[in-house]
Amino acid sequence: MKRNVIPPYASDAVAHLKRVDPILGDVIDRVGSYAIARRPECFHSLVRAIIFQQLAGRAAQTIFGRFVKAVGGKRFPTPALLLAASDEVLRSAGLSRGKMSYIRDLATHVNNRTLNFHRHSRMTDDEIIADLTRVRGIGRWTAEMFLMFNLHRPDVLPVDDLGVRNAVGRLYAMSPAPTAKALREFGERWRPYRSVASWYLWRSYDIIITPESSVAATDGVAKKAIAKSPAPKPIAGKIVAGKSKAIKTNARKTISIKTGAVKITRAAPAKSTAARKTRTQTGKKF
């Protein structure tokens, strides 16, 4: 059974993020404590990540369950058991030829110790990413999730994650959502706790943002943060200095901007097909 843990750096991370970014600070106040999933099983997690690639959650879970039962019986299979499994056994679980090749390559690296998880405690984040991405089927995003959820590294920003990018676009009124390059620059303010910031950005989808629960930023740090944010594309209406102007974009969303005391309020958009697709692509990581 998966359980969440509070890493030792959690309180320092939360204090830092609330100090440098009041908008994210509001999310933190409403979500609560930083309690990240604990995934100590390294080989297990990487096999699961490969199987889940490009599949909807329910279908991926079904195939993963069949794989475990077919190869390992009641327990998750060891690398040696996986390497001994025939193509017919793996295909019966629903694995594609490509994924069969990927998980066998992973099992080979682990079995001959060219991939040794015990060494990771002495390696930097970039060294671990390079170590993992030598395996076919493991890309940078999968390696970053491993750093965050298996090793609990505090300063990982997965800029290719659609969920993180869309959350930033939603919270900071950026349209379109930032590119990977723009997010990397924008996320510099969250160092050295970008993993924690990313987790709260994922969790922000659980928050209903309404005019009554506005995100307000009135101090110098907040103004500077918003000033550095990429400007959202104009939608309709105008902004008059010293006054507030409501801009209705559609039936679900209203942005109210007041100059001087930088105040942004938004009604939560209904979950769209694109949003649901994003959650499927990124997986539920918390």
Side-chain angles (χ1 to χ4, degrees):
M1 180 178 177
K2 183 175 70 175
R3 65 185 182 90
N4 293 346
V5 297
I6 299 177
Y9 54 78
S11 59
D12 289 342
V14 165
H16 170 76
L17 294 173
K18 292 175 74 171
R19 183 173 65 252
V20 301
D21 190 338
I23 290 177
L24 189 61
D26 178 81
V27 174
I28 292 170
D29 286 340
R30 296 167 64 191
V31 168
S33 299
Y34 176 65
I36 192 168
R38 180 177 181 270
R39 298 176 184 169
E41 318 88 349
C42 297
F43 178 65
H44 179 146
S45 295
L46 291 173
V47 170
R48 184 180 186 278
I50 290 172
I51 291 176
F52 270 62
Q53 288 172 2
Q54 299 177 330
L55 290 175
R58 184 172 296 179
Q61 188 60 54
T62 298
I63 292 173
F64 181 71
R66 289 174 182 166
F67 160 78
V68 173
K69 185 176 180 179
V71 182
K74 294 183 178 180
R75 295 185 177 182
F76 192 83
T78 63
L81 276 176
L82 199 160
L83 290 171
S86 67
D87 285 359
E88 289 72 22
V89 168
L90 296 180
R91 275 199 298 266
S92 70
L95 292 178
S96 66
R97 187 173 298 277
K99 290 186 180 180
M100 288 163 53
S101 170
Y102 297 157
I103 62 175
R104 280 176 171 156
D105 191 48
L106 172 62
T108 299
H109 276 83
V110 175
N111 205 47
N112 63 23
R113 300 182 71 80
T114 54
L115 177 58
N116 186 343
F117 299 117
H118 296 294
R119 289 199 289 255
H120 286 166
S121 63
R122 302 186 297 274
M123 297 168 69
T124 67
D125 292 353
D126 287 339
E127 288 171 342
I128 293 170
I129 289 172
D131 193 38
L132 292 175
T133 53
R134 291 182 296 114
V135 178
R136 292 199 303 272
I138 296 181
R140 185 177 181 88
W141 181 86
T142 300
E144 288 169 338
M145 296 303 104
F146 183 86
L147 284 169
M148 293 177 68
F149 292 95
N150 288 83
L151 303 183
H152 286 179
R153 293 294 176 96
D155 195 34
V156 179
L157 180 61
V159 297
D160 295 313
D161 189 283
L162 292 177
V164 172
R165 284 159 56 180
N166 288 338
V168 170
R170 173 176 177 253
L171 290 170
Y172 299 86
M174 298 182 194
S175 180
T179 63
K181 180 180 178 181
L183 178 58
R184 186 175 290 108
E185 295 174 359
F186 187 82
E188 283 298 309
R189 69 197 66 193
W190 301 321
R191 279 187 184 271
Y193 299 112
R194 292 177 297 171
S195 298
V196 182
S198 299
W199 185 84
Y200 278 108
L201 290 169
W202 283 317
R203 292 297 306 273
S204 71
Y205 288 103
D206 299 331
I207 297 172
I208 298 175
I209 299 178
T210 66
E212 290 74 26
S213 57
S214 63
V215 175
T218 57
D219 60 19
V221 174
K223 292 178 183 179
K224 186 177 180 181
I226 293 173
K228 286 185 177 180
S229 304
K233 289 184 176 181
I235 306 168
K238 61 183 180 179
I239 301 173
V240 180
K243 300 180 180 180
S244 63
K245 181 74 176 179
I247 306 172
K248 290 191 175 179
T249 61
N250 54 46
R252 305 187 192 96
K253 181 176 181 181
T254 299
I255 298 176
S256 175
I257 302 176
K258 184 176 180 181
T259 57
V262 183
K263 183 178 181 181
I264 302 176
T265 61
R266 294 182 295 281
K271 287 187 178 180
S272 62
T273 301
R276 289 193 297 270
K277 184 177 179 183
T278 295
R279 299 298 290 272
T280 299
Q281 289 175 329
T282 59
K284 191 169 183 179
K285 309 174 186 66
F286 37 80

